Amino acid sequence: QVHLVESGGGSVQPGGSLRLSCKASGYTGSNNYTAWFRQAPGKTREGVAVIHTNGERTNYADSVKGRFTISQDNAQNTVYLQMNSLKPEDAAMYYCAAGPGTWLAFFLAAAEYNYWGQGTQVTVSS
């Protein structure tokens, strides 16, 4: 059974940084994507960043390019999202998701992702 557990959320001031972690268990294979999505109250879910199992393919939403970095530690089965220069509009519940190595998954189509974590809250305010 696949489990994804997020951690690292919290409250920061604008301009601050956070690092989210997604610990996976029970998920195997060499051609998969792990992604971060977010959803703020009253807004649709948004794909933020994605990384392939091989670590060589990543993709980001335009809204976070240059500020967020996705990485992984395969030995620890953990994917990270380093978030810098946080803005109030980054505030949301952040979810980790895992899915197959398809082009739709690379382009952060939520429907491609089979497994989801429970989420971790990020608050950005002064």
Side-chain angles (χ1 to χ4, degrees):
Q1 191 170 3
V2 177
H3 288 286
L4 301 173
V5 180
E6 302 96 333
S7 62
S11 181
V12 296
Q13 294 184 340
S17 298
L18 283 173
R19 188 177 80 156
L20 306 183
S21 299
C22 171
K23 177 76 171 179
S25 61
Y27 195 62
T28 60
S30 60
N31 185 28
N32 299 306
Y33 282 110
T34 304
W36 288 95
F37 290 80
R38 67 186 182 186
Q39 188 166 19
K43 295 189 177 181
T44 57
R45 183 170 45 189
E46 175 190 21
V48 175
V50 59
I51 188 166
H52 190 268
T53 309
N54 64 17
E56 296 177 4
R57 289 202 295 268
T58 60
N59 191 26
Y60 296 88
D62 288 343
S63 59
V64 306
K65 282 180 181 176
R67 300 187 299 122
F68 291 11
T69 303
I70 191 169
S71 62
Q72 63 187 13
D73 182 340
N74 286 339
Q76 298 295 324
N77 293 322
T78 302
V79 171
Y80 303 98
L81 184 67
Q82 178 66 44
M83 306 186 296
N84 298 328
S85 302
L86 281 162
K87 304 176 181 179
E89 52 263 44
D90 294 318
M93 184 71 80
Y94 282 70
Y95 299 92
C96 177
T102 66
W103 279 112
L104 286 174
F106 178 74
F107 289 110
L108 293 164
E112 289 292 293
Y113 289 84
N114 312 105
Y115 305 102
W116 293 80
Q118 294 300 306
T120 185
Q121 182 69 45
V122 172
T123 302
V124 185
S125 67
S126 55

